[in-house]
Structure formats: structure tokens, C-alpha cells
Amino acid sequence: MNGFTILRSVQHYVGRIRTVRNEIRTQRFLNTLPADIRKDIGWPDLYQGRVREN
């Protein structure tokens, strides 16, 4: 492994961590919305259906 390959691996790992943290932050925000607004946007039903497909 050369230095470039190691750097790419670290960048990929950091990117995945950033993505997971952003998803958690978004979920927390959506969970704080009033129930009627969550229902209007389909939270969490649409999200859970999309996650299961991946």
C-alpha cells in the first residue's frame, strides 16, 4: 500500500462517518417536529421503507 491508497481509505472512512452523523442529526430534527407535520411528510414510514430497500 502506498500513501495515496491509505489516504483514500481514510477519506472514505471519514466520509462514511460524516454521512451517518448527518443522517442521525436529520432523524433527531424530524422527530422533534409536531406529529401532524411528520404525518404530512410521511416520517418515519417513507424513510423506513427506503432504508429497507437498500
Side-chain angles (χ1 to χ4, degrees), residues 4 10 12 14-19 25 27-28 32 34-36 38 41-43 48 53:
F4 183 70
V10 170
H12 178 72
V14 169
R16 296 277 295 175
I17 291 173
R18 185 175 293 135
T19 299
R25 188 177 298 128
Q27 289 175 8
R28 285 181 183 161
T32 62
D36 56 333
R38 288 192 314 247
I41 62 174
W43 179 257
Q48 290 173 346
E53 293 172 5

Side-chain angles (χ1 to χ4, degrees):
M1 272 190 157
N2 60 21
F4 183 70
T5 305
I6 294 172
L7 180 61
R8 273 186 63 188
S9 296
V10 170
Q11 287 174 335
H12 178 72
Y13 179 71
V14 169
R16 296 277 295 175
I17 291 173
R18 185 175 293 135
T19 299
V20 169
R21 289 185 67 194
N22 287 339
E23 287 179 2
I24 291 170
R25 188 177 298 128
T26 300
Q27 289 175 8
R28 285 181 183 161
F29 170 74
L30 289 172
N31 285 333
T32 62
L33 293 173
D36 56 333
I37 293 176
R38 288 192 314 247
K39 182 182 174 212
D40 289 344
I41 62 174
W43 179 257
D45 299 332
L46 292 177
Y47 176 76
Q48 290 173 346
R50 193 179 89 214
V51 170
R52 285 188 201 124
E53 293 172 5
N54 292 337

